[in-house]
Amino acid sequence: MLLNLVSTTVLTDEIDMFPLLMGLFGGLALFLFGMEQMAVALKKVAGTGMKKVLARLTANRFMGVLTGAFVTTVVQSSSVTTVLIVGFISADLMSMAQSVGVIMGANIGSTVTAQIIAFKVTKYSLLVVALGFALTFVSKSQRVKQTGQAILGIGLMFFGMAVMGDAMQPLRTYEPFIYLMAMMEQPLYGILLGAGFTALVQASSATTGVVIVLASQGMISLPAGIALCFGANIGTCITALLAAIGKPREALRAAVVHVLFNVLGVLVWLAFINELADFVRWLSPSATIASANASANAQLATDAPRQIANAHTVFNVANTFIFIWFAPLFARLVQWMVPDRPLAEAELVKAKYLDSELLDTPWLALDRSRLELVHMGDSVREMYAAIIPGALTGTAAELDRIEGMDDRVDALHGFIVTYLGSISRRELTENQTAELMRLMETANDLENIGDIIETNLVLLGRERLAKGVTISEETLAVITDFHRAIGQALDSAFLAVIQVNAAAAERVIQMKAEINRLSGSAALHEAQRLVVKEPNRLAAYTTEMDILENLKRVYYFCRRMARASVR
């Protein structure tokens, strides 16, 4: 088909490759740089608002689709949407089935770039660059500056496309290239080329942009453009999988959902490319060209960009409509494909959520710090659950094991504090600075609880063994009740930290009266037990009162965490 379109053109086997490659790769570099600038700026402008939108509007898979599409349209980065999803799954704010809908919606949001590019606004690219530059360097408002950076990025994208388009014009008469484009009429060739190019540049939007540039030069037909866009959808899966390497299992599962959705979507449509092309031609009628002598190439150059962009959108919307009904099945399949790590691997002391790649997006980095605090807190809660049985009735080996748990807590504390220090060197808003300080305080409070257990309560358990003290059943019950109440405060403080849950924080603070009542009751019990004629009664009294006092100190740090979480 394409060869027929150029049958009236004089073809050549020779071309000056240096200026062509310089323009092509230089334009591609401008396009990718502009896209990165736009994405970074939009993420800053959107801020935590995108996180709130995702948290509130993902009650079911269908709302998840709309939310994922909206968030990705705003931040122009499906990877940012995926990072947020992983955080919500880890915090038990979103189920895996709900996340499937958001991931599918993110694919729809990513088609907006192609729609903008297809409007042929490249002739105004330098005007957009100038406007973005003016807003960035003239305004004193930080938000206006960030908006200017986003506009500047869009202008650079358009200018890069114009440079690529100008550089590619000689290819319209270059016979080997015409032959290569004719091969794209075979869908498998187009898909492989699109996937390979996307994997190379790590951006499906760049592949779509290049395809639309080719179409705007009349070098590629609609079916070939569709095949290349299909390939871009598969190639972006490689980016998702690479980004998930070394990340928590939730991140890998989200990446696998992305892969399954995109690959299955392409397979479903592979045999229907021509039908999709016919539908898109009906949806996007041919524009009328003023010149009566207009060639088939000119008509193709006029129509194909918009039709390819529409095909890209129709493909992703249709796939979402088809697969959204199977979201629970996707979730179960992915959890089977990516099971939890074996216990031995999970026991390694390492940060699960801290990602240096997110440091330039502080609101996301702070969110990951919060998740890592939960990881640290799980270790503290494990220590806390074990210490009273260990201190009152445990063996020396059990006390040694509890003491060793604090090594994990100390290591995670070091990771978190170092990461927060790196965030603090970025450009932060006032709210982000306050959030960073709250997280730093929480990390220190958790470490203090770990130190109370490791240094004081373990030592008291060893003193009990050394002095041959036996704790009575009545005293064991009193201290266990007190330990259980403070454990509830610790659990609620955790909930307050991970979910910024004001109700949970208030529960911890309001427990003060109950803790004081239990403490007074325990002290009265100890005073009554002091006169009982038993061996080592004084030594037992001292040990038991010291244990109660250290448990009260744990509650003090729980209250600090609760207050900091909502301050």
Side-chain angles (χ1 to χ4, degrees), residues 41-42 45 132 135-136 142-152:
L42 284 175
V45 171
L135 290 175
T136 301
Q142 190 63 32
R143 194 168 187 83
V144 173
K145 282 179 177 288
Q146 291 168 349
T147 303
Q149 289 171 357
I151 294 173
L152 178 61

Side-chain angles (χ1 to χ4, degrees), residues 54-68 93-103 324-325 327-328:
L54 267 177
R56 293 173 182 171
L57 300 180
T58 52
N60 61 65
R61 71 188 90 158
F62 303 102
M63 285 301 298
V65 168
L66 296 176
T67 307
L93 294 173
M94 182 187 293
S95 69
M96 192 68 215
Q98 289 170 330
S99 76
V100 172
V102 181
I103 293 169
I324 190 60
W325 307 99

Side-chain angles (χ1 to χ4, degrees), residues 7 27 37 62 69-70 107-108 147 163 190 259 264 377 381 389 505 517-518 557:
S7 58
Q37 282 285 104
F62 303 102
F70 171 72
N107 265 31
I108 296 174
T147 303
V163 171
V259 171
L264 287 175
R381 288 198 292 178
R517 185 189 68 77
L518 290 172
F557 287 110

Side-chain angles (χ1 to χ4, degrees), residues 154-191:
I154 293 171
L156 288 173
M157 285 173 58
F158 293 158
F159 185 60
M161 287 188 60
V163 171
M164 284 190 287
D166 291 342
M168 287 179 178
Q169 283 192 11
L171 293 175
R172 298 173 71 172
T173 58
Y174 187 49
E175 189 167 4
F177 182 78
I178 298 297
Y179 178 73
L180 176 64
M181 290 299 99
M183 289 178 62
M184 296 304 105
E185 298 289 335
Q186 298 295 323
L188 288 179
Y189 288 120
I191 291 171

Side-chain angles (χ1 to χ4, degrees), residues 24 33 66 97 106 120 196-197 235 252 343 349 358 385 395 464 477 505 541:
L24 178 60
F33 178 72
L66 296 176
K120 299 184 179 181
F197 185 79
L252 184 55
L343 184 60
V349 180
L358 298 178
T395 63
R464 172 187 61 80
Y541 172 81

Side-chain angles (χ1 to χ4, degrees), residues 384 388 482-483 486 547-555:
Y384 182 80
I388 290 306
F482 193 53
H483 173 255
I486 293 173
I547 288 173
L548 289 168
E549 189 60 34
N550 278 284
L551 289 176
K552 285 185 70 174
R553 289 185 62 205
V554 171
Y555 173 68

